[in-house]
Amino acid sequence: MSPREIRPVYNVVRANASCNFLVFGLGDDNPMWAATNQNGYTIFIEDDREWITRMLEKEPDLNVHFYEYETVRQNWEEWLGNLEELEMELPASIRNRKWT
């Protein structure tokens, strides 16, 4: 994400300190998100096991859940008409939590 894209999300998380924050994808900004929501619950959803391993070597305290997507971005148009197929099967600990 660019700084322009990050700023509004950062402002919401910061304004709601100690919130539940769900992040799709691990990136170099992981420590920033975890620190911004330091007293809250932050979990990252990632689909690349190797990347998870590399990120956890740097930041072992990150809360990460592996998820294998069944769709690919290039087929986005065909999925728009079939929203039930886009539902993610996540554990109850993620599904049942209220997210900011």
Side-chain angles (χ1 to χ4, degrees), residues 25-36:
L26 287 169
D28 293 323
D29 56 356
N30 303 331
M32 178 196 65
W33 293 124
T36 302

Side-chain angles (χ1 to χ4, degrees), residues 49-61:
R49 288 187 193 274
E50 183 179 317
W51 186 243
I52 291 172
T53 300
R54 289 175 48 198
M55 291 293 103
L56 289 176
E57 287 172 0
K58 294 179 186 178
E59 298 288 330
D61 294 333

Side-chain angles (χ1 to χ4, degrees), residues 4-43:
R4 183 174 173 218
E5 294 167 322
I6 289 173
R7 176 64 63 192
V9 178
Y10 174 85
N11 289 340
V12 168
V13 173
R14 188 165 176 220
N16 294 285
S18 302
C19 66
N20 293 322
F21 184 42
L22 179 62
V23 181
F24 287 87
L26 287 169
D28 293 323
D29 56 356
N30 303 331
M32 178 196 65
W33 293 124
T36 302
N37 194 33
Q38 189 171 15
N39 295 319
Y41 179 79
T42 302
I43 187 166

